[in-house]
Amino acid sequence: MSYETVRVETLGSVGLVTLDRPAARNALSRQLIAELNAALDGFEADPAIGAIVLTGSDKAFAAGADIAEMKGLGLVDVFENDFVAAWERLAAVRKPVVAAVAGYALGGGCELALMCDLVIAAETARFGQPELSLALIPGAGATQRLAKSVGKAKTMDMVLTGRLIDAAEAERIGLVSRVVPAAALRDTALAVGAKIAALSRPAALMAKEAVNRAFESGLADGIRYERRLFQALFATRDKEEGLAAFLEKRPPRFENR
Ligand code: CO8
């Protein structure tokens, strides 16, 4: 597949997708989302890939849904083709996904970051949900995912006032995992991806699935789910290898089995 709005690279065991529509600050057009999804499908299916990094440019991770594309669409148009549904592909990726955010992550751009498992932000990152200024509301999950990750007070502030928050505030409120200098963003995210990709694959996927369960279920249900996945890992060879390597004071050699 040839791509026009994203760049797709394989760096060892890490798949890197770079959003690449500089003239529109990486606004998330239908074409861009389709190409992003194709890249994600490819990395999901590739057994050599253990983690995915999603990034944008120095200026913008993504400035949100493509406003020009939405102009002129009516309710029946967006309802009939279930506009926004295609965006959820990212949230369904089973391999761990690291977002590396520099510059603006606004509207749907902030929502894409929220679908990733870890968000690493450059000091230049700015997060915001400015949809109300367009007489819209967030449509790709922010009212739910943002509220679950940072709570009601900050979510209402971001959604109702459209205030942009900087990287330091984003880290303080738990929207991002780490903040690094802009020059170190790509290397840090790739190193995090490589570290995750070197783990036992079934254990990494089950860990992601178990943490995500916390956002979908009550505590007792989530704890039971975690316990079953934890127990399931006793069926893998990697579990024996991981424990043996620790006891023998050597690095593990995982087979992803
Ligand atoms: N859509 C389309 N084009 C855009 C977008 C966008 N979201 N953002 C920027 N552009 C375009 C501009 O129109 C401009 O084009 P041109 O050069 O042809 O005039 C070009 O990108 C550069 O933009 P600026 O000159 O404004 O660049 P600045 O660096 O001065 O500012 C900003 C950058 C702050 C990012 C500014 O462009 C901006 O505020 N953009 C809009 C942000 C916004 O409102 N985002 C929310 C969109 S709505 C949304 O995301 C809802 C998601 C719902 C779910 C998904 C539905 C599918």
Side-chain angles (χ1 to χ4, degrees):
M1 160 134 189
S2 69
Y3 297 98
E4 293 175 354
T5 59
V6 303
R7 295 198 308 278
V8 181
E9 296 162 75
T10 297
L11 300 160
S13 51
V14 179
L16 174 65
V17 186
T18 306
L19 307 179
D20 189 25
R21 269 191 90 200
R25 301 288 183 270
N26 291 337
L28 301 160
S29 61
R30 277 169 201 274
Q31 180 187 5
L32 185 148
I33 293 295
E35 292 184 3
L36 169 63
N37 290 352
L40 295 173
D41 286 344
F43 287 143
E44 278 279 78
D46 183 348
I49 295 295
I52 297 167
V53 172
L54 176 62
T55 194
S57 71
D58 291 349
K59 279 194 185 142
F61 177 72
D66 190 309
I67 295 171
E69 264 188 10
M70 292 190 292
K71 176 94 177 59
L73 295 181
L75 166 63
V76 175
D77 303 316
V78 294
F79 180 71
E80 276 189 350
N81 33 15
D82 206 5
F83 186 47
V84 193
W87 291 46
E88 285 286 329
R89 174 70 189 95
L90 176 60
V93 169
R94 299 182 70 207
K95 292 177 181 173
V97 184
V98 178
V101 178
Y104 295 108
L106 304 184
C110 188
E111 292 174 304
L112 274 196
L114 284 164
M115 290 179 203
C116 297
D117 304 310
L118 276 88
V119 182
I120 301 181
E123 286 162 347
T124 58
R126 298 285 178 277
F127 297 85
Q129 299 292 158
E131 289 90 343
L132 261 78
S133 67
L134 303 168
L136 285 171
I137 66 167
T143 64
Q144 307 303 301
R145 289 195 182 94
L146 193 59
K148 285 192 196 296
S149 36
V150 307
K152 177 178 173 180
K154 292 291 182 181
T155 300
M156 286 295 190
D157 191 0
M158 290 176 71
V159 170
L160 291 178
T161 75
R163 182 170 71 86
L164 302 196
I165 63 169
D166 64 18
E169 183 173 0
E171 185 181 32
R172 199 164 63 241
I173 67 177
L175 174 53
V176 311
S177 316
R178 308 182 194 182
V179 179
V180 297
L185 180 66
R186 182 186 147 103
D187 286 352
T188 306
L190 289 173
V192 168
K195 180 160 191 170
I196 294 169
L199 300 169
S200 170
R201 182 85 39 85
L205 266 59
M206 285 194 205
K208 169 171 175 167
E209 201 171 302
V211 174
N212 278 335
R213 189 76 174 199
F215 297 97
E216 295 158 6
S217 63
L219 181 63
D221 194 38
I223 294 286
R224 197 174 310 113
Y225 191 75
E226 178 196 75
R227 188 174 308 149
R228 291 293 171 255
L229 291 180
F230 174 78
Q231 291 166 345
L233 284 167
F234 282 61
T236 65
R237 290 202 292 270
D238 281 351
K239 169 256 166 189
E240 275 309 291
E241 168 63 9
L243 272 55
F246 175 82
L247 294 172
E248 292 161 22
K249 303 188 190 306
R250 60 172 174 81
R253 288 181 297 271
F254 291 130
E255 302 166 46
N256 299 325
R257 286 286 175 271

